[in-house]
Amino acid sequence: MDIQTKPRGCTSFKVRQLMRRLSQHYDAEVSQSGLKTTQYSLLSHLKRLGATRPVDFAAELKMTASTLSRNLQPLIAAGWVEQTAGADARSRLVALTPEGEDKWREAQQHWKTAQQKLNALLGVERVLALHLLIDESLELLGTEDGPDSGD
């Protein structure tokens, strides 16, 4: 095999480098709303899902319930997410509050700016190709490891 057609270096390291750079790019914009990008993501998913059980929310995000709980605490403390009683005494629901909807709208404008800047920097064709490559790679890798303990 020709050296130029053989991957060089660690793929995990390269992906982490890209992820760090992308995170810095989005964080620089989204932080202007007072949120971290990960917090904006949680608000966005809750907005889309509506009131949901934390266990279902964690499964949707492919993270553990304990990681989700830790990540939700600052949003609950800020009044942007509320925990309420569920269908029975043992279940709970999490949902956006009206203040959370407002915060999401504010952060969404910053996220859109970050996305537009990224599209301009990389080119829309490259961004679309990256999305396709990521989606295909995730499908090929499957879910053999189960829920992510990070994020």
Side-chain angles (χ1 to χ4, degrees):
M1 181 179 254
D2 186 330
I3 192 117
Q4 292 180 344
T5 61
K6 194 162 117 182
R8 293 184 52 147
C10 176
T11 303
S12 178
F13 178 74
K14 287 183 173 294
V15 170
R16 286 177 189 265
Q17 268 186 315
L18 177 61
M19 191 59 225
R20 278 192 298 273
R21 190 72 55 89
L22 287 173
S23 292
Q24 290 166 354
H25 174 82
Y26 280 91
D27 285 343
E29 287 294 332
V30 174
S31 68
Q32 294 177 49
S33 70
L35 291 176
K36 296 175 181 175
T37 304
T38 53
Q39 293 172 321
Y40 168 69
S41 179
L42 288 173
L43 294 181
S44 293
H45 280 88
L46 263 183
K47 178 164 179 50
R48 181 177 54 81
L49 294 171
T52 187
R53 296 182 322 149
V55 67
D56 296 331
F57 192 27
E60 172 80 15
L61 299 173
K62 297 185 177 34
M63 66 172 53
T64 64
S66 62
T67 298
L68 175 64
S69 178
R70 271 193 315 276
N71 290 339
L72 284 177
Q73 287 311 311
L75 301 176
I76 292 169
W80 300 324
V81 172
E82 64 183 348
Q83 262 188 331
T84 58
D88 60 50
R90 294 180 311 175
S91 68
R92 296 195 117 351
L93 296 174
V94 290
L96 285 184
T97 63
E99 295 82 5
E101 291 256 357
D102 291 343
K103 182 53 75 172
W104 172 81
R105 265 191 283 295
E106 177 188 350
Q108 184 189 39
Q109 294 308 307
H110 294 289
W111 174 86
K112 282 182 179 179
T113 298
Q115 186 65 49
Q116 290 166 348
K117 285 181 177 180
L118 187 70
N119 291 347
L121 281 168
L122 298 180
V124 172
E125 299 79 16
R126 183 174 279 122
V127 172
L128 289 170
L130 183 59
H131 284 208
L132 181 61
L133 180 60
I134 290 167
D135 291 343
E136 289 173 345
S137 297
L138 286 171
E139 189 174 321
L140 289 169
L141 290 169
T143 58
E144 62 192 39
D145 292 334
D148 186 339
S149 60
D151 294 339

